[in-house]
Amino acid sequence: MSPSPGSSTSRGVPQHDEERRLRELGYRPVLARRMGGFGNFAISFSVISILSGCMTLYGFGMGAGGPAVMLWGWAGVGLFVLCVGLALAEVTSAYPTSGALYYMADRLGGRRWGWYTGWLNLLGLLGAIAGIDYGAALFAGAFANLQWGFEPTPEKTMLIFMAILLLHAVLNLFGVRLVSVLNSISVWWHLAGVAVIVGALAIVPDHHRSPSFVFTEFVNDTGWSNPVYVAAIGLLLAQYTFSGYDASAHLSEETSNASVSAAKGIVRSIWVSWIAGFVLLAGLTFAIQDYDATRATETGVPPAQILLDGLGTDGASALLLVVIVAQLFCGNAEVAAASRMVFAFSRDKALPGSALWRKVSERTQTPVAAVWLSVVVACVLALPSLYSTTAYGAVTAINVIGITPAYAIPVLLRLRAGDRFQPGPWNLGRWSKPIGWVAVVWVACVTVLFCLPQSSPVTVATMNYASVALAVVLVLATVWWFVARRSYGTPTTAAYSDREQAELAEGIV
C-alpha cells in the first residue's frame, strides 16, 4: 500500500519536517535520526525473524496439529496479520513516535487507553526478548551437542541465555547506527539462510515426504480430543513468529522520513516474512525422515534433528550456526525496540523510576538505562524455564498475549474516531475501515485463543500461564495508575525551538 495519490508527502518528507512533526506531537527530538527506510524495514523483519520463530516453535507445531496446521496455519495467519499490519501502519503514519502504540491509543482514546495499551505493549516486548534469546540459547545448546557432546541441561541453557542477553545489551549501547547496520545485514542473512537450508534439504536427502503428508497430515499429541481446538492451539507457531513488527514504529524517532518509512517498514516486513516463512516450513517438513524420532531428539530441537538426518553432522552443524546467528540478529533488534518503548513510556512518567529509564546518553543518543532494564526483566521472565519444561511455551504465549491486543487497540480507536482521525501521508483510503475491522476481530480471537490451555490434563506443570501473566500485568497497571495518574500524560503542545537538536539527524544509514 502506498501513500495516497496526490499527497505532497508521498514524494518523501524532508527530514527537518519529521523533526517539526515530532515537536507538533509534543516531543523534543533527543534521539539520533540516523536510520533510513531500509533500516527501518530491517528491524521489523529481524524481529519477526522466521529463522527464530519458525525454527524455535517447530517442535510445538509437530504435536499441535502437525504438518497440515503448520503449513495452512502459516498461510492463514499471515493473511490476517497482514491486515493488522496494514491498519497499524496507517495509524503509525499519523503518529510517528517512539511510544508508538500507547501514544496512538492515548491520542485517539484518552489517557487510560494509552496507559493500558502501553503496559500490554511493554509486556509483549519484554516477553519477546525472553522468548527469542532463550530460543537462541536452546539452538546454541543443540549446536554444542552436535559438535562436542555438550548436554544442554536447563541450568546450562540459562547461562547461555544470560550471555546472549549481555551481548545484546552491549551492542545496543553503541547507538542506533550500529543497530541499523546489523539489521540490514540481518535481512540478507535471513533470506540467504532460508535459501541455503531449503536448498540443501531439497537436494541432499535421498528420501522426502509426499505432498499429501506435508499439506494434509494431522498430528495430535496435546491430550485434547477436539481436532478444531488442537488446530487452533497450533496457530501459536505462526502468530508468535508474526509479532514484533511494531519495532518500525518504536524506531520512528530515529528514522528519516518516518511518516512514510515506518509505515512501509511494518507492511513490507510482514509480507516478505510470510513468503519466506512458508518456504522454510515446507522445506523442513518435506525433509523429515522419522517423525517420532525427530520430536524426541536428544538435541532438544526438532529442526536440528531434521538437519542431522538429512545432511549429516557437519552439514547440520553449519546450518544450525546460520540459524543461531539469525536468532542473535533477531534478539538484538528486539532489545532495541523494547528499550525505546521503555524510554518513551518513562518520558511520559508511566514507569516506576521513570527519571532513570528516560535518560539518554549524550554521546550515542541511546537510552542506556532502558536497554539494561529491558534485558534484566527479560531474564526474570525466563527464569521459570529452569523448573518447568512448559515454561518456554508460556513465555512465547506471554509475548503474543501482551503484544497482539496492543496492536489492535489503536486500530479500534481509529475506527471509533471516524472522521476525527487525521491520516498521515501513508494511508489506506477507502480500504481503511474494512481492513481495520478484520484486524480487530482477528486480534480478539487470538487473544482469547492463546489464554487457553495448550495440553491436557491441565496441571501446575502444563498450565498455560499467559493468562495469569496478563491478569497480573493488568492488576499491577491498575494499581500503579492510582499512584502515577497525576504525573503520567503525553504532551499536548509543541514547546521547543526548531534549533534544538538540529544536528542529530546527520549521517543517515
Side-chain angles (χ1 to χ4, degrees), residues 326-464:
Q327 292 173 336
L328 293 177
F329 278 130
C330 173
N332 190 64
E334 185 62 32
V335 170
S339 63
R340 271 49 174 192
M341 173 61 195
V342 171
F343 157 76
F345 218 26
S346 299
R347 180 173 59 182
D348 291 328
K349 302 178 181 179
L351 296 180
S354 287
L356 173 61
W357 314 127
R358 68 171 177 255
K359 287 184 177 180
V360 175
S361 166
E362 293 182 2
R363 182 174 61 87
T364 63
Q365 285 85 53
T366 299
V368 174
V371 170
W372 286 113
L373 179 65
S374 299
V375 297
V376 168
V377 174
C379 184
V380 172
L381 286 176
L383 284 178
S385 297
L386 282 169
Y387 311 104
S388 170
T389 56
T390 60
Y392 179 70
V395 169
T396 60
I398 286 171
N399 166 222
V400 173
I401 204 66
I403 210 166
T404 307
Y407 290 158
I409 291 172
V411 177
L412 175 63
L413 294 174
R414 177 262 174 274
L415 292 169
R416 192 180 72 168
D419 293 337
R420 289 192 296 107
F421 173 72
Q422 297 296 317
W426 193 101
N427 59 79
L428 300 173
R430 61 191 178 92
W431 293 101
S432 179
K433 288 185 178 179
I435 289 176
W437 282 115
V438 169
V440 170
V441 171
W442 171 250
V443 169
C445 290
V446 296
T447 300
V448 173
L449 178 63
F450 294 135
C451 283
L452 301 176
Q454 298 168 7
S455 58
S456 178
V458 180
T459 65
V460 172
T462 63
M463 179 179 173
N464 180 0

Side-chain angles (χ1 to χ4, degrees), residues 266-343:
I266 291 171
V267 177
R268 189 189 305 173
S269 67
I270 294 171
W271 69 257
V272 173
S273 298
W274 188 18
I275 296 170
F278 188 87
V279 172
L280 176 62
L281 288 173
L284 286 170
T285 309
F286 271 111
I288 294 174
Q289 303 298 304
D290 185 325
Y291 201 90
D292 292 334
T294 298
R295 291 197 62 211
T297 175
E298 292 182 0
T299 66
V301 180
Q305 191 63 46
I306 295 174
L307 297 174
L308 185 63
D309 291 342
L311 308 175
T313 302
D314 291 341
S317 297
L319 293 185
L320 268 181
L321 200 56
V322 171
V323 174
I324 292 167
V325 172
Q327 292 173 336
L328 293 177
F329 278 130
C330 173
N332 190 64
E334 185 62 32
V335 170
S339 63
R340 271 49 174 192
M341 173 61 195
V342 171
F343 157 76

